Amino acid sequence: MIIPSPDQLVEQGASVLAKFGYEPFGGEEEHWSAMWDLLKGDFTTQKHPEIPSFDDLSLSLKEAAKVYMRRRLIADRFFEECRKAQADLFKGIDTDGVERYTIARDAYEDSVGDFGAARERIAMLLDGKYWEED
């Protein structure tokens, strides 16, 4: 269940994320192909103007894409927890509530970093690299 935040900046953030596939977790199985269709544009470059559909990815790219999409889903869940904790601050500020929000926000920020790292991995694989070169 989503608890909308009284903070309009948070709600605007949720609507922006929704444009990139964010939706509250409903407990159903993930639809990797549909989710990939929403996200594959993140990888379009001059070098890679066309990104294959999920079903047309190589085995390694398909697995990297699943990791990328799972990390996005994890970030979505942490975002929801952050929204709830932030909304609770409007009920009255207390030290425990502020700490709860800080922990939730830090977890969300870390998950966004992990999502970015998974994106870099796919970009490497699209370039035919299977490990980072020093």
Side-chain angles (χ1 to χ4, degrees):
M1 176 170 91
I2 294 284
I3 301 172
S5 172
D7 185 334
Q8 289 306 302
L9 287 176
V10 172
E11 291 309 303
Q12 288 171 357
S15 66
V16 169
L17 289 174
K19 292 178 184 177
F20 298 97
Y22 167 73
E23 58 184 49
F25 180 62
E28 61 279 346
E29 280 294 311
E30 303 307 337
H31 301 285
W32 299 122
S33 292
M35 194 182 321
W36 180 248
D37 286 344
L38 284 172
L39 297 173
K40 72 180 184 176
D42 291 350
F43 303 97
T44 304
T45 63
Q46 282 186 328
K47 189 174 180 180
H48 303 287
E50 294 292 323
I51 304 299
S53 69
F54 184 76
D55 293 332
D56 293 334
L57 294 174
S58 69
L59 194 56
S60 57
L61 266 168
K62 194 175 282 188
E63 190 59 34
K66 282 183 181 180
V67 169
Y68 174 70
M69 292 183 284
R70 283 185 189 110
R71 287 185 176 178
R72 197 217 75 203
L73 293 171
I74 289 167
D76 288 352
R77 300 301 79 81
F78 278 128
F79 175 69
E80 291 171 8
E81 292 304 316
C82 190
R83 283 176 79 186
K84 290 176 193 174
Q86 195 265 353
D88 286 346
L89 292 177
F90 283 83
K91 296 176 183 173
I93 302 293
D94 66 72
T95 303
D96 194 47
V98 171
E99 184 64 21
R100 175 179 168 236
Y101 169 71
T102 301
I103 290 167
R105 185 198 63 224
D106 288 348
Y108 171 62
E109 289 173 355
D110 289 346
S111 69
V112 170
D114 291 342
F115 178 59
R119 189 222 172 277
E120 290 174 10
R121 178 70 174 163
I122 291 174
M124 249 177 43
L125 289 169
L126 286 169
D127 285 339
K129 300 175 186 172
Y130 289 90
W131 55 85
E132 288 188 49
E133 298 170 1
D134 293 324

